[in-house]
């Protein structure tokens, strides 16, 4: 991940995120959780929410082989890597990710994700995601 990403690139990434038709998502085990998917212009750039009672219960943000995760049961942010950029990944499926959690949180990536989300502040789902950084 390029640590020196400039403001224009951050803005371009944020504004490229578009909500995907919900009918493309499979229903999870708990039908009370609404799943929302945003996809950016870059390959392997997307954001998923699980929302229940108007609150995020699960969040995943992936960009360039990195991932940021949050889960209501753990209440902390996790970072990791995905197998999407590995050309030898024989388990590749376009709609799934193999995730390896980092042993230490990648705070530079956390701040990058926050910066990307801030480009869309004022939009309800992005505001909910930004609130996760305050917990």
């Amino acid at each position: 991940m390029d640590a020196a990403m400039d403001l224009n690139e951050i803005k371009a990434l944020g504004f490229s995120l578009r909500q995907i038709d919900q009918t493309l998502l499979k229903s999870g085990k708990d039908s009370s959780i609404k799943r929302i998917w945003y996809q950016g212009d870059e390959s392997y750039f997307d954001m998923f929410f699980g929302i229940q009672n108007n609150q995020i219960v699960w969040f995943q943000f992936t960009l360039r082989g990195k991932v940021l995760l949050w889960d209501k049961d753990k209440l902390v942010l996790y970072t990791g890597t995905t197998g999407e950029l590995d050309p030898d990944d024989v388990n590749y499926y376009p709609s799934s990710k193999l995730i390896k959690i980092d042993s230490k949180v990648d705070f530079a990536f956390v701040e990058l994700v926050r910066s990307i989300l801030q480009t869309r502040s004022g939009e309800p789902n992005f505001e909910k995601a930004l609130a996760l950084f305050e917990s």
Side-chain angles (χ1 to χ4, degrees):
M1 183 67 55
D2 182 6
M5 193 177 295
D6 72 20
L7 186 57
N8 289 331
E9 187 174 6
I10 289 169
K11 285 180 179 178
L13 286 167
F15 288 117
S16 76
L17 285 165
R18 298 287 175 252
Q19 192 167 343
I20 302 302
D21 180 1
Q22 299 310 107
T23 60
L24 298 175
L25 293 172
K26 290 183 181 179
S27 296
K29 295 176 189 173
D30 186 343
S31 62
S32 70
I33 297 175
K34 179 181 178 185
R35 296 179 60 191
I36 299 173
W37 176 21
Y38 286 82
Q39 194 170 51
D41 287 343
E42 287 191 17
S43 299
Y44 313 116
F45 177 35
D46 51 24
M47 180 171 64
F48 290 91
F49 295 94
I51 296 183
Q52 184 177 46
N53 299 324
N54 208 30
Q55 299 294 318
I56 294 177
V57 295
W58 177 79
F59 175 73
Q60 176 180 303
F61 184 102
T62 59
L63 175 66
R64 300 176 186 171
K66 292 287 295 175
V67 63
L68 176 77
L69 301 163
W70 182 89
D71 178 312
K72 74 172 175 81
D73 293 331
K74 297 182 179 71
L75 299 176
V76 295
L77 294 169
Y78 291 91
T79 57
T81 55
T82 68
E84 296 168 319
L85 301 179
D86 184 357
D88 296 326
D89 185 0
V90 295
N91 295 316
Y92 174 77
Y93 295 97
S95 63
S96 65
K97 295 173 179 49
L98 299 174
I99 295 173
K100 180 180 176 193
I101 300 298
D102 294 334
S103 58
K104 295 170 110 179
V105 174
D106 180 344
F107 288 107
F109 186 65
V110 170
E111 287 306 312
L112 175 61
V113 173
R114 182 194 315 247
S115 296
I116 292 169
L117 294 173
Q118 285 174 333
T119 66
R120 305 279 290 272
S121 65
E123 295 180 41
N125 289 332
F126 288 82
E127 287 292 330
K128 287 176 189 164
L130 282 166
L132 301 176
F133 292 81
E134 306 307 320
S135 57

